[in-house]
Amino acid sequence: MSASRLNQVVTGLLPDTKKAPSWGLFCVFILLLLAQVALAVEKPPAAAIASAHPLATQAGHEILAAGGNAFDAAVTVSAVLAVVEPYSSGMGGGGFWLLHRAKDGFETMLDGRERAPLAAHQDLYLDDQGEVIPNLSINGALAAGIPGQPAALVHLAEKYGQLPLKQTLAAAIRLAREGFPVDDYYRRMVKWRLDALRQSPSAESLFLQSGEIPQVGHNVRQPDLANTLELLAEQGRDGFYKGKVAQKLIDGVRANGGIWTLEDLADYQPIERVPVRGSYRGISITSAAPPSSGGVMLLAMLNILSRFELEAYPVVTRKHLMIEAMRRAYRDRAEYLGDPDFVDMPIEQLIHPLYAAGLARDIALGHATPSKAPYSTVQSDEGRDTTHFSILDKEGNRVAATLSINYPFGSGFVPEGTGILLNDEMDDFSARPGVPNVYGLIGGEANAIEPGKRMLSSMTPTFIETAEGVAIMGTPGGSRIITMLLHGILELQAGGEPKDWVNKPRFHHQYLPDEVQFEPGALTADEVTELTRLGHQLKPLKRSYGNMQAVYWNKKTEAVSAASDPRGIGNAVVH
Ligand code: GLY
């Protein structure tokens, strides 16, 4: 209820002074006044956007300045990132948008995750001997799930936004048509996926320069993408999932070994899901629900850690405990989690403090618990795929969104005439139970391929409420996303600011491979010695990983701050 409507209600309830005062009415009056005060103070002094690209942050702020709310800005930022970060997310991919509506506190997770084509089946990526065919779920048309981002953006705009799509998609359309300049980050991502991009003539002509890695400053123009976005703006979801774009997508996919049909596109629906909620030492956490494993795993790790007085231990012991919590949560991920519309999952149990107490009981302070490896293991990659942004508007609406086309530049495949770079999210299924995917993650039957099923994700857009304020947090980074959120939340809990959450050097364990991957600076030499003595396998990484984007509204000091991970090229702006 708005403050002015509330005023009218309060005025109508004012006691008639000629009659004796009624205590009941008086109490209602006081309650309404208190509610009004609460509503009045629940507005931040500024808006903030942190995203992985300066052009996206800027476009989002322009939409806020034009009268849009956080949800309008989320449409704009998502669409601009789809254009200027083609290696991270896109209209050929999907994601999760965690929403908080200030006026009534309503929260939901918009699930725009890709789903398997209806012709998909468990053996899709296996040869005649039942072995996984390398790269078939990573490169090319067969690797792509049915995109969810276009439908999710239309849903977000129509149900929660205030501005028309023509306005919120305008910046992305302009940037697709006029182009954006290549930087070093873009070149690094292209280098990684050069071979895949060269397999697709449309992708090659869009993202390479004469078949090679483009020079810094080369202008990347995407006119077909601009046309597709224009159709989406004019026709809503039908502009993408029906008509000529849909037909071109199907023609391109099927001519290149894919199995999509028009029915796959027409059938696709974004779904609103109840977020996963829990608490850790007085802070409340609201995070991604399945088909993301993120929220469940985050709470599982925090629940385990809440069994220990972390501050009472030396720093190295705290790190040992974090590693052991990570190990246990990732073990359960592999066993239980998948698409909630296909699989019954013991979510209540997995995030229950008593279950965590049981898991914590067998953590030994004096040694590492070896992961049992009934599965083969592979080394995971650098974890620079995917993207995240966080938004707070001046009404207090919030969005945390993590979006992906999976591997850098997704499948590397663009159906001709669409400008749509397709995801390779099918690799997030377990191609065969027990065989690790590109991130080294294993999965079981719960995440096996089925027609129309959504593949399990690690994306973890999150809200954190403390006694003092509220944080909006998330990051890309494949399987390491969830442990990055753990680091960020522990840093927040220790009193840090957004810049501390995003800067913090990171380490990661995911049950299998049984190793602790760590960034430069995450462990001291003494800690490496001690953790090795405890039995941990330590794997120093040459490069950093992740790209966290965070916003914080401190309600006590009435200050808004934001930070963009220095590992990326993004920026955070408070206005
Ligand atoms: N494709 C990365 C994830 O969804 O976890």
Side-chain angles (χ1 to χ4, degrees), residues 96 113-114 292-293 333 385-386 404-407 424-425 428 439 441 455-459 477-479 481:
F96 300 112
R113 181 70 161 163
E114 301 90 331
S292 175
S293 59
R333 180 193 198 275
D385 56 289
T386 310
S404 185
I405 52 172
N406 199 26
Y407 221 36
D424 57 354
E425 219 77 62
D428 275 350
Y439 304 112
L441 284 171
M455 55 294 286
L456 188 61
S457 172
S458 299
M459 293 189 280
S479 57
I481 289 175

mmCIF file of all heavy atoms in Angstrom, residues 96 113-114 292-293 333 385-386 404-407 424-425 428 439 441 455-459 477-479 481, ligand 1:
data_model
loop_
_atom_site.group_PDB
_atom_site.id
_atom_site.type_symbol
_atom_site.label_atom_id
_atom_site.label_comp_id
_atom_site.label_asym_id
_atom_site.label_seq_id
_atom_site.Cartn_x
_atom_site.Cartn_y
_atom_site.Cartn_z
ATOM 1 N N PHE A 96 18.699 -16.844 -13.963
ATOM 2 C CA PHE A 96 17.789 -16.725 -12.815
ATOM 3 C C PHE A 96 17.794 -15.275 -12.342
ATOM 4 O O PHE A 96 18.869 -14.707 -12.087
ATOM 5 C CB PHE A 96 18.238 -17.632 -11.670
ATOM 6 C CG PHE A 96 18.279 -19.090 -12.045
ATOM 7 C CD1 PHE A 96 19.496 -19.754 -12.124
ATOM 8 C CD2 PHE A 96 17.123 -19.795 -12.316
ATOM 9 C CE1 PHE A 96 19.547 -21.092 -12.484
ATOM 10 C CE2 PHE A 96 17.162 -21.130 -12.675
ATOM 11 C CZ PHE A 96 18.378 -21.785 -12.765
ATOM 12 N N ARG A 113 15.755 -20.573 -17.081
ATOM 13 C CA ARG A 113 16.780 -21.563 -17.406
ATOM 14 C C ARG A 113 16.417 -22.268 -18.723
ATOM 15 O O ARG A 113 15.239 -22.513 -18.997
ATOM 16 C CB ARG A 113 16.839 -22.576 -16.266
ATOM 17 C CG ARG A 113 17.876 -23.683 -16.406
ATOM 18 C CD ARG A 113 19.264 -23.179 -16.258
ATOM 19 N NE ARG A 113 20.223 -24.249 -15.958
ATOM 20 C CZ ARG A 113 21.537 -24.108 -16.105
ATOM 21 N NH1 ARG A 113 22.045 -22.965 -16.537
ATOM 22 N NH2 ARG A 113 22.362 -25.088 -15.795
ATOM 23 N N GLU A 114 17.423 -22.605 -19.511
ATOM 24 C CA GLU A 114 17.182 -23.387 -20.719
ATOM 25 C C GLU A 114 16.623 -24.758 -20.338
ATOM 26 O O GLU A 114 16.810 -25.233 -19.214
ATOM 27 C CB GLU A 114 18.477 -23.606 -21.509
ATOM 28 C CG GLU A 114 19.171 -22.342 -21.963
ATOM 29 C CD GLU A 114 20.173 -21.822 -20.946
ATOM 30 O OE1 GLU A 114 19.985 -22.046 -19.734
ATOM 31 O OE2 GLU A 114 21.149 -21.183 -21.364
ATOM 32 N N SER A 292 18.505 -24.449 -9.831
ATOM 33 C CA SER A 292 19.865 -24.120 -9.415
ATOM 34 C C SER A 292 20.160 -24.862 -8.119
ATOM 35 O O SER A 292 19.298 -24.959 -7.238
ATOM 36 C CB SER A 292 20.028 -22.623 -9.171
ATOM 37 O OG SER A 292 21.336 -22.412 -8.658
ATOM 38 N N SER A 293 21.369 -25.340 -8.010
ATOM 39 C CA SER A 293 21.789 -25.962 -6.750
ATOM 40 C C SER A 293 22.286 -24.898 -5.777
ATOM 41 O O SER A 293 22.563 -25.196 -4.611
ATOM 42 C CB SER A 293 22.927 -26.956 -7.028
ATOM 43 O OG SER A 293 24.021 -26.283 -7.633
ATOM 44 N N ARG A 333 25.103 -32.346 -3.691
ATOM 45 C CA ARG A 333 24.670 -31.786 -4.980
ATOM 46 C C ARG A 333 24.621 -32.889 -6.021
ATOM 47 O O ARG A 333 23.650 -33.044 -6.757
ATOM 48 C CB ARG A 333 25.649 -30.696 -5.432
ATOM 49 C CG ARG A 333 25.299 -30.054 -6.766
ATOM 50 C CD ARG A 333 26.465 -29.222 -7.288
ATOM 51 N NE ARG A 333 26.059 -28.269 -8.307
ATOM 52 C CZ ARG A 333 25.950 -28.551 -9.605
ATOM 53 N NH1 ARG A 333 26.175 -29.781 -10.041
ATOM 54 N NH2 ARG A 333 25.580 -27.613 -10.465
ATOM 55 N N ASP A 385 33.052 -18.045 -17.302
ATOM 56 C CA ASP A 385 31.810 -18.026 -18.041
ATOM 57 C C ASP A 385 30.735 -17.309 -17.221
ATOM 58 O O ASP A 385 30.941 -17.026 -16.051
ATOM 59 C CB ASP A 385 31.352 -19.470 -18.246
ATOM 60 C CG ASP A 385 31.240 -20.153 -16.903
ATOM 61 O OD1 ASP A 385 32.296 -20.414 -16.315
ATOM 62 O OD2 ASP A 385 30.121 -20.334 -16.407
ATOM 63 N N THR A 386 29.566 -17.056 -17.852
ATOM 64 C CA THR A 386 28.398 -16.561 -17.109
ATOM 65 C C THR A 386 28.597 -15.100 -16.671
ATOM 66 O O THR A 386 29.699 -14.565 -16.775
ATOM 67 C CB THR A 386 28.074 -17.490 -15.910
ATOM 68 O OG1 THR A 386 28.021 -18.839 -16.371
ATOM 69 C CG2 THR A 386 26.787 -17.171 -15.234
ATOM 70 N N SER A 404 23.541 -16.906 -18.140
ATOM 71 C CA SER A 404 24.608 -17.721 -18.710
ATOM 72 C C SER A 404 24.277 -18.233 -20.099
ATOM 73 O O SER A 404 23.104 -18.411 -20.449
ATOM 74 C CB SER A 404 24.846 -18.931 -17.780
ATOM 75 O OG SER A 404 25.933 -19.688 -18.218
ATOM 76 N N ILE A 405 25.333 -18.452 -20.889
ATOM 77 C CA ILE A 405 25.226 -19.333 -22.049
ATOM 78 C C ILE A 405 26.182 -20.517 -21.839
ATOM 79 O O ILE A 405 26.553 -21.201 -22.771
ATOM 80 C CB ILE A 405 25.506 -18.609 -23.389
ATOM 81 C CG1 ILE A 405 26.832 -17.846 -23.330
ATOM 82 C CG2 ILE A 405 24.369 -17.692 -23.771
ATOM 83 C CD1 ILE A 405 27.243 -17.288 -24.698
ATOM 84 N N ASN A 406 26.575 -20.693 -20.608
ATOM 85 C CA ASN A 406 27.503 -21.709 -20.135
ATOM 86 C C ASN A 406 28.938 -21.380 -20.505
ATOM 87 O O ASN A 406 29.451 -20.362 -20.079
ATOM 88 C CB ASN A 406 27.103 -23.113 -20.596
ATOM 89 C CG ASN A 406 27.778 -24.186 -19.752
ATOM 90 O OD1 ASN A 406 28.117 -23.930 -18.609
ATOM 91 N ND2 ASN A 406 27.987 -25.362 -20.298
ATOM 92 N N TYR A 407 29.598 -22.186 -21.290
ATOM 93 C CA TYR A 407 31.017 -21.994 -21.573
ATOM 94 C C TYR A 407 31.229 -20.650 -22.290
ATOM 95 O O TYR A 407 30.305 -20.145 -22.933
ATOM 96 C CB TYR A 407 31.457 -23.150 -22.471
ATOM 97 C CG TYR A 407 32.805 -23.709 -22.133
ATOM 98 C CD1 TYR A 407 33.234 -23.800 -20.819
ATOM 99 C CD2 TYR A 407 33.652 -24.166 -23.138
ATOM 100 C CE1 TYR A 407 34.478 -24.313 -20.521
ATOM 101 C CE2 TYR A 407 34.905 -24.689 -22.838
ATOM 102 C CZ TYR A 407 35.306 -24.746 -21.528
ATOM 103 O OH TYR A 407 36.542 -25.247 -21.229
ATOM 104 N N ASP A 424 25.617 -23.646 -24.580
ATOM 105 C CA ASP A 424 25.935 -25.090 -24.531
ATOM 106 C C ASP A 424 25.608 -25.619 -23.128
ATOM 107 O O ASP A 424 26.381 -26.341 -22.507
ATOM 108 C CB ASP A 424 27.378 -25.388 -24.933
ATOM 109 C CG ASP A 424 28.411 -24.656 -24.093
ATOM 110 O OD1 ASP A 424 28.027 -23.810 -23.252
ATOM 111 O OD2 ASP A 424 29.607 -24.922 -24.288
ATOM 112 N N GLU A 425 24.425 -25.189 -22.695
ATOM 113 C CA GLU A 425 24.007 -25.517 -21.328
ATOM 114 C C GLU A 425 23.676 -27.007 -21.170
ATOM 115 O O GLU A 425 23.586 -27.505 -20.041
ATOM 116 C CB GLU A 425 22.771 -24.671 -20.991
ATOM 117 C CG GLU A 425 22.736 -24.140 -19.594
ATOM 118 C CD GLU A 425 23.655 -22.952 -19.370
ATOM 119 O OE1 GLU A 425 23.471 -21.903 -20.007
ATOM 120 O OE2 GLU A 425 24.550 -23.076 -18.537
ATOM 121 N N ASP A 428 25.523 -29.020 -18.728
ATOM 122 C CA ASP A 428 25.256 -28.985 -17.286
ATOM 123 C C ASP A 428 24.431 -30.188 -16.822
ATOM 124 O O ASP A 428 24.277 -30.420 -15.617
ATOM 125 C CB ASP A 428 24.541 -27.684 -16.885
ATOM 126 C CG ASP A 428 25.534 -26.553 -16.645
ATOM 127 O OD1 ASP A 428 26.746 -26.826 -16.600
ATOM 128 O OD2 ASP A 428 25.103 -25.394 -16.514
ATOM 129 N N TYR A 439 33.134 -28.548 -15.911
ATOM 130 C CA TYR A 439 33.630 -27.960 -14.654
ATOM 131 C C TYR A 439 34.153 -29.018 -13.687
ATOM 132 O O TYR A 439 34.406 -28.724 -12.524
ATOM 133 C CB TYR A 439 32.514 -27.166 -13.964
ATOM 134 C CG TYR A 439 31.938 -26.113 -14.869
ATOM 135 C CD1 TYR A 439 30.648 -26.216 -15.342
ATOM 136 C CD2 TYR A 439 32.713 -25.031 -15.268
ATOM 137 C CE1 TYR A 439 30.124 -25.267 -16.199
ATOM 138 C CE2 TYR A 439 32.208 -24.078 -16.123
ATOM 139 C CZ TYR A 439 30.914 -24.206 -16.586
ATOM 140 O OH TYR A 439 30.413 -23.263 -17.437
ATOM 141 N N LEU A 441 32.299 -31.246 -12.551
ATOM 142 C CA LEU A 441 31.186 -31.610 -11.670
ATOM 143 C C LEU A 441 30.597 -32.940 -12.113
ATOM 144 O O LEU A 441 30.368 -33.162 -13.308
ATOM 145 C CB LEU A 441 30.083 -30.551 -11.734
ATOM 146 C CG LEU A 441 30.319 -29.249 -10.990
ATOM 147 C CD1 LEU A 441 29.242 -28.241 -11.343
ATOM 148 C CD2 LEU A 441 30.351 -29.491 -9.482
ATOM 149 N N MET A 455 18.390 -28.263 -16.887
ATOM 150 C CA MET A 455 19.646 -28.814 -16.370
ATOM 151 C C MET A 455 20.034 -28.108 -15.067
ATOM 152 O O MET A 455 19.744 -26.922 -14.882
ATOM 153 C CB MET A 455 20.763 -28.694 -17.419
ATOM 154 C CG MET A 455 21.029 -27.300 -17.958
ATOM 155 S SD MET A 455 19.701 -26.533 -18.949
ATOM 156 C CE MET A 455 19.790 -27.392 -20.486
ATOM 157 N N LEU A 456 20.666 -28.866 -14.169
ATOM 158 C CA LEU A 456 21.056 -28.313 -12.869
ATOM 159 C C LEU A 456 22.100 -27.213 -13.057
ATOM 160 O O LEU A 456 22.996 -27.339 -13.886
ATOM 161 C CB LEU A 456 21.640 -29.437 -12.003
ATOM 162 C CG LEU A 456 21.938 -29.102 -10.546
ATOM 163 C CD1 LEU A 456 20.672 -28.694 -9.806
ATOM 164 C CD2 LEU A 456 22.576 -30.316 -9.852
ATOM 165 N N SER A 457 21.956 -26.158 -12.274
ATOM 166 C CA SER A 457 22.842 -25.001 -12.389
ATOM 167 C C SER A 457 23.552 -24.736 -11.064
ATOM 168 O O SER A 457 23.151 -25.237 -10.011
ATOM 169 C CB SER A 457 22.003 -23.775 -12.760
ATOM 170 O OG SER A 457 22.780 -22.610 -12.711
ATOM 171 N N SER A 458 24.593 -23.932 -11.129
ATOM 172 C CA SER A 458 25.257 -23.453 -9.903
ATOM 173 C C SER A 458 25.005 -21.962 -9.678
ATOM 174 O O SER A 458 25.548 -21.381 -8.729
ATOM 175 C CB SER A 458 26.769 -23.676 -9.999
ATOM 176 O OG SER A 458 27.064 -25.029 -10.139
ATOM 177 N N MET A 459 24.237 -21.341 -10.550
ATOM 178 C CA MET A 459 24.063 -19.878 -10.442
ATOM 179 C C MET A 459 23.336 -19.529 -9.137
ATOM 180 O O MET A 459 22.339 -20.149 -8.802
ATOM 181 C CB MET A 459 23.308 -19.370 -11.669
ATOM 182 C CG MET A 459 24.131 -19.523 -12.944
ATOM 183 S SD MET A 459 23.438 -18.717 -14.391
ATOM 184 C CE MET A 459 22.193 -19.887 -14.898
ATOM 185 N N GLY A 477 31.148 -18.028 -12.686
ATOM 186 C CA GLY A 477 32.306 -18.840 -12.299
ATOM 187 C C GLY A 477 32.057 -20.330 -12.242
ATOM 188 O O GLY A 477 32.749 -21.030 -11.504
ATOM 189 N N GLY A 478 31.062 -20.816 -12.995
ATOM 190 C CA GLY A 478 30.842 -22.266 -13.093
ATOM 191 C C GLY A 478 30.621 -22.884 -11.724
ATOM 192 O O GLY A 478 29.912 -22.344 -10.874
ATOM 193 N N SER A 479 31.268 -24.000 -11.491
ATOM 194 C CA SER A 479 31.051 -24.737 -10.243
ATOM 195 C C SER A 479 31.526 -23.958 -9.025
ATOM 196 O O SER A 479 31.119 -24.248 -7.895
ATOM 197 C CB SER A 479 31.784 -26.073 -10.305
ATOM 198 O OG SER A 479 33.164 -25.846 -10.559
ATOM 199 N N ILE A 481 30.920 -20.871 -8.353
ATOM 200 C CA ILE A 481 30.029 -19.761 -7.987
ATOM 201 C C ILE A 481 29.611 -19.856 -6.524
ATOM 202 O O ILE A 481 29.660 -18.877 -5.770
ATOM 203 C CB ILE A 481 28.760 -19.774 -8.879
ATOM 204 C CG1 ILE A 481 29.098 -19.352 -10.307
ATOM 205 C CG2 ILE A 481 27.664 -18.879 -8.293
ATOM 206 C CD1 ILE A 481 27.922 -19.461 -11.286
HETATM 207 N N1 GLY B 1 26.239 -22.940 -16.788
HETATM 208 C C1 GLY B 1 26.660 -22.658 -15.502
HETATM 209 C C2 GLY B 1 25.629 -22.944 -14.475
HETATM 210 O O1 GLY B 1 24.469 -22.807 -14.754
HETATM 211 O O2 GLY B 1 25.949 -23.319 -13.401
#
